[in-house]
């Protein structure tokens, strides 16, 4: 995993040297600490301190929040902590100042998606930009426009958000179906 993160960071930096305003990056804004209030309170009631002041402190405090009597507690805390944060987003490097590029969840000042082109369109775009930046192939004409890259990033963010909502709705539907089926079996 560490090599994958290093590859993504390194590729992002390489693309920005050649195309400073055309990079397809991923940012994760620092969360509003107030959004963690209910989670901090619930964790505290179980004897754990959650510290979201920076990503390393959050990770450390989540690592320490393990209840040996409840194997699902830590996983639940981690899921709930992600819901307290703004979602990560794709963006075009020319549309944000470098101070806005930070990825909170990975504690990285720059990040892109490069390592999974078989399953993410963002990675395909990054591969094309990298290929052009190292002189392997020409930059496709549609990727030479900051406006086009901004539009593609907005579309990828929208589709990702829709996929997440569909996944949550699916879990909700099957949860209801499961309990409905168990109630019917209990009536027999």
């Amino acid at each position: 995993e560490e090599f994958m993160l290093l590859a993504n960071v390194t590729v992002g930096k390489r693309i920005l040297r050649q195309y400073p305003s055309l990079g397809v990056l991923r940012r994760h804004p620092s969360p509003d600490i107030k959004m963690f209030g209910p989670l901090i309170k619930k964790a505290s009631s179980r004897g754990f301190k959650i510290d979201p002041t920076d990503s390393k402190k959050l990770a450390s405090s989540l690592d320490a929040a393990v209840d040996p009597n409840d194997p699902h507690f830590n996983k639940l805390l981690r899921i709930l902590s992600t819901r307290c944060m703004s979602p990560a987003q794709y963006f075009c490097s020319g549309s944000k100042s470098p101070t806005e590029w930070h990825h909170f969840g990975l504690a990285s000042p720059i990040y892109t998606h490069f390592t999974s082109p078989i399953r993410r369109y963002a990675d395909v775009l990054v591969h094309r930009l990298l290929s052009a930046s190292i002189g392997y192939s020409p930059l496709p004409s549609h990727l030479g426009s900051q406006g086009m890259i901004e539009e593609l990033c907005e579309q990828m963010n929208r589709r990702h958000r829709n996929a997440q909502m569909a996944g949550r709705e699916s879990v909700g539907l099957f949860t209801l179906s499961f309990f409905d089926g168990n109630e019917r079996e209990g009536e027999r």
Side-chain angles (χ1 to χ4, degrees):
E1 175 128 349
E2 298 239 351
F3 286 119
M4 179 189 73
L5 296 175
L6 182 60
N8 287 335
V9 169
T10 303
V11 166
K13 288 178 179 178
R14 176 62 181 99
I15 290 169
L16 289 174
R17 278 198 305 269
Q18 182 74 24
Y19 302 109
S21 64
L22 299 177
V24 175
L25 302 177
R26 188 135 171 99
R27 67 189 287 264
H28 188 216
S30 297
D32 179 351
I33 301 299
K34 290 181 276 190
M35 297 298 290
F36 279 89
L39 180 65
I40 291 169
K41 188 175 178 180
K42 293 292 183 190
S44 179
S45 74
R46 298 277 299 262
F48 299 104
K49 182 179 187 289
I50 302 299
D51 183 357
T53 54
D54 68 45
S55 55
K56 291 184 185 197
K57 289 178 182 174
L58 177 59
S60 294
S61 62
L62 287 171
D63 288 344
V66 176
D67 183 346
N69 299 319
D70 186 350
H72 304 291
F73 179 73
N74 186 265
K75 183 172 181 108
L76 180 61
L77 271 184
R78 289 176 186 279
I79 291 169
L80 293 174
S81 72
T82 62
R83 303 246 172 113
C84 296
M85 298 182 224
S86 300
Q89 297 178 325
Y90 294 108
F91 70 99
C92 176
S93 59
S95 68
K96 305 270 184 217
S97 73
T99 58
E100 297 176 273
W101 294 357
H102 183 76
H103 195 293
F104 176 83
L106 299 173
S108 178
I110 182 174
Y111 190 72
T112 193
H113 275 159
F114 166 75
T115 53
S116 297
I118 197 165
R119 65 183 183 94
R120 280 189 303 240
Y121 185 60
D123 299 61
V124 172
L125 296 176
V126 170
H127 275 249
R128 290 174 180 163
L129 286 162
L130 177 64
S131 181
S133 75
I134 62 174
Y136 184 75
S137 62
L139 184 65
S141 59
H142 70 285
L143 294 183
S145 159
Q146 181 178 325
M148 176 57 84
I149 290 181
E150 288 172 2
E151 198 174 304
L152 290 169
C153 288
E154 288 172 19
Q155 183 177 11
M156 289 184 295
N157 291 331
R158 196 171 37 256
R159 289 181 181 265
H160 180 74
R161 192 172 39 255
N162 289 343
Q164 280 188 318
M165 289 188 307
R168 289 178 186 166
E169 290 295 321
S170 175
V171 168
L173 175 65
F174 283 102
T175 301
L176 288 173
S177 177
F178 171 79
F179 286 114
D180 186 45
N182 281 343
E183 286 177 12
R184 287 187 188 145
E185 286 180 20
E187 293 172 0
R188 293 181 189 164

